[in-house]
Amino acid sequence: LLNKKVATLTYGNDFLVKSKFSFKTYYFRNMDLIFFGAYAIRNIFKRMHHIYDDNKLKVARYGLMLNDYDIKESKRELRREFKIPENQFSILSVGRHIPRKRFDLVIEAVDMIKKRNPKILLKYYLIGEGPTTSELENMVKTSALENEIEFLGFTDLNTRNKFFKLSDLFIMTSIAQKESIEGFGIVFLEANYFKTP
């Protein structure tokens, strides 16, 4: 309308459409430049919107603002702060509780591990909330895993980053669904920053 060049950034779910006549299709076709966080997402977009001009479709890798992740305390100090035993194996997941994230698979795995070795000192922390939170909490109660699984809800960034640093393992079991995909899991970069496998 203003006769200016227009660029946009797309993440994943924002370009999923059910109809070639949708506003999103019109919107993307009329962009001069579209940025993606990963080549895989760009390729899905190409097939979905039939836009194949690589000069128009650019990949710009996501990154972290490192100052936001400056946690001075050591892993040992953080465990003391949150009253977590040093010999406890701590697993962390961070994300919205939606079916695609499949946090239920981790809960099932914790249940299987505890049944095989009841003496193992293991705790699974979930940061985040969403439509499936109550369903996940019911799974935990049904399996009597209240001591092994803790829902931390939404936390401030500092607390979340402390859990990234103090954990022994970060796990994200998300899958692709027709109506919902993982555009780019920034949480993987965050876990890597803290050297959490």
Side-chain angles (χ1 to χ4, degrees), residues 38-50:
Y39 286 99
I41 297 301
R42 185 185 72 170
N43 293 338
I44 293 170
F45 178 91
K46 281 181 172 183
R47 290 192 306 271
M48 184 167 284
H49 289 280
H50 307 290

Side-chain angles (χ1 to χ4, degrees), residues 79-136:
R79 285 183 172 237
R80 273 201 296 264
E81 179 182 336
F82 291 101
K83 298 178 177 54
I84 297 170
E86 280 188 46
N87 61 339
Q88 172 186 288
F89 190 81
S90 298
I91 302 170
L92 175 67
S93 286
V94 177
R96 274 187 5 166
H97 297 173
I98 55 175
R100 174 176 54 78
K101 299 283 188 179
R102 295 308 310 265
F103 296 119
D104 59 308
L105 291 178
V106 187
I107 294 170
E108 287 176 22
V110 170
D111 189 31
M112 290 169 64
I113 291 167
K114 287 301 289 185
K115 282 177 178 161
R116 285 188 184 173
N117 185 355
K119 292 183 180 178
I120 194 167
L121 194 55
L122 166 75
K123 189 122 183 191
Y124 176 40
Y125 297 97
L126 291 99
I127 292 179
E129 291 177 0
T132 61
T133 300
S134 59
E135 185 181 316
L136 296 170

Side-chain angles (χ1 to χ4, degrees), residues 38-92:
Y39 286 99
I41 297 301
R42 185 185 72 170
N43 293 338
I44 293 170
F45 178 91
K46 281 181 172 183
R47 290 192 306 271
M48 184 167 284
H49 289 280
H50 307 290
I51 299 172
Y52 301 101
D53 181 0
D54 285 340
N55 291 320
K56 184 175 179 171
L57 309 175
K58 297 293 182 184
V59 174
R61 301 276 186 202
Y62 294 110
L64 304 177
M65 298 296 291
L66 298 184
N67 291 344
D68 295 343
Y69 299 89
D70 188 23
I71 303 295
K72 302 270 189 251
E73 298 91 345
S74 68
K75 185 173 181 170
R76 178 176 280 182
E77 289 168 333
L78 291 172
R79 285 183 172 237
R80 273 201 296 264
E81 179 182 336
F82 291 101
K83 298 178 177 54
I84 297 170
E86 280 188 46
N87 61 339
Q88 172 186 288
F89 190 81
S90 298
I91 302 170
L92 175 67

Side-chain angles (χ1 to χ4, degrees), residues 19-35:
S19 165
K20 63 182 178 182
F21 302 109
S22 78
F23 173 75
K24 285 183 180 182
T25 301
Y26 177 82
Y27 172 80
F28 286 120
R29 289 227 170 118
N30 286 280
M31 285 291 120
D32 296 294
L33 190 58
I34 304 169
F35 288 103

